[in-house]
Amino acid sequence: MENAEHIVVEVAYALPNEQLILEIEVPADCQVEEAIKRSGILERYPQIDLSTDKVGIFGKMCKLNASLNHKDRIEIYRPLIADPKESRRQKAEMAKKKAKASED
């Protein structure tokens, strides 16, 4: 339902066991932060903190004041629980230990 004054966007947030995508209509000049607030997602998930959580549009990081286009999907990212480099290092170390144990 696009017209000169309004666009339709999606706001997405995912947890390990659930995902929510809300489709909302916003003014054409709406920015990311305003669309997130209008979606009501902050009330559903009070753990979302826009001052620290990162956001993006279709997987590409953006600022809260980024402008939107019709059919954009805003994604709110959760903070990482573990450092990916450290996780890979630990997995590699475990694999080495298993390999050495099977040699013995």
Side-chain angles (χ1 to χ4, degrees), residues 9-13 20-26 30 32-45 48 50 74 76:
V9 298
E10 293 178 336
V11 178
Y13 184 66
L20 179 67
I21 300 175
L22 301 169
E23 186 174 278
I24 60 169
E25 187 176 314
V26 296
C30 190
V32 170
E33 183 173 15
E34 184 184 346
I36 291 170
K37 288 178 178 174
R38 285 172 175 251
S39 75
I41 204 161
L42 297 176
E43 288 73 30
R44 281 193 182 174
Y45 298 97
I48 296 172
L50 293 181
I74 301 164
I76 304 167

Side-chain angles (χ1 to χ4, degrees), residues 71-89:
K71 296 289 187 182
D72 275 351
R73 184 181 64 229
I74 301 164
E75 299 161 346
I76 304 167
Y77 306 118
R78 291 178 292 117
L80 292 176
I81 294 169
D83 176 30
K85 282 184 182 176
E86 181 63 21
S87 293
R88 284 192 297 273
R89 188 190 66 71

